[in-house]
Amino acid sequence: MRSQLSGGIRRKPDSAPEQKVPAAAPEVETPDELRPVPAKAFSGRLLVLAMVMVAITVLLAPSVRTYLQQRSDIAVAKAEIAEAEATQAELEVQLGRWEDPAYIKQQARDRIFLVMPGEKRYLVKGENGVEEAEQLAAEEEPEDLRWVDSLWDSVKKSATAQ
């Protein structure tokens, strides 16, 4: 069969073997059995391929969503770590200041009005003077603790009731 096919391709069926025809572009005739079949617009293979693609999409969608969620969580965690490291660096600088005796003396003078022995401290009333310190002291005072009063009343009652 192969030899028949090759012979049919190389020569024309009505030409004699003795005649040689100059071939610029030889015409090839193929039997009807060997001619290509035009592709169908919709085939079973296409349907199977579509089903496989849908199955892959359904199976991979949750994994991709989880991957993207984890990437965003990692980005948030990295931002929090960077913020914590910046805060840590700032606190280390502040801790370094508190190791300096001159800084401690200055803070004691400014915050609780301490003076060195032999020095005199003068408080000036007026704009931004003692009034601010009194406001800060008033803010730091504990609230009225009513439970302490009720506890003291119960102690007094128990001591007098015999």
Side-chain angles (χ1 to χ4, degrees), residues 6-132:
S6 66
I9 291 174
R10 292 191 182 135
R11 6 187 164 107
K12 292 185 181 180
D14 14 327
S15 66
E18 296 108 24
Q19 298 176 351
K20 289 191 176 180
V21 178
E27 292 183 19
V28 178
E29 290 185 20
T30 57
D32 290 337
E33 305 165 346
L34 299 175
R35 291 196 179 157
V37 177
K40 296 178 185 175
F42 185 76
S43 67
R45 287 183 182 175
L46 185 61
L47 179 64
V48 170
L49 179 64
M51 289 174 49
V52 168
M53 293 302 289
V54 167
I56 289 173
T57 303
V58 167
L59 292 175
L60 289 181
S63 299
V64 170
R65 185 181 58 83
T66 303
Y67 172 75
L68 294 176
Q69 179 65 34
Q70 289 175 349
R71 294 290 294 181
S72 67
D73 290 345
I74 288 171
V76 168
K78 284 183 179 180
E80 289 176 357
I81 288 171
E83 183 180 333
E85 287 176 348
T87 304
Q88 180 182 4
E90 183 181 318
L91 290 174
E92 286 176 354
V93 167
Q94 191 175 16
L95 184 63
R97 287 183 192 151
W98 281 102
E99 292 175 0
D100 183 19
Y103 182 77
I104 294 173
K105 287 178 186 177
Q106 182 62 35
Q107 292 299 315
R109 288 174 188 259
D110 292 343
R111 291 185 181 191
I112 55 176
F113 303 112
L114 289 180
V115 292
M116 295 297 288
E119 292 181 354
K120 292 185 180 178
R121 176 85 179 189
Y122 295 102
L123 297 177
V124 178
K125 287 191 171 187
E127 188 172 333
N128 300 334
V130 177
E131 294 169 359
E132 278 186 10

Side-chain angles (χ1 to χ4, degrees), residues 149-161:
D149 294 334
S150 63
L151 178 66
W152 183 248
D153 290 340
S154 67
V155 169
K156 284 200 284 186
K157 286 180 185 177
S158 67
T160 55

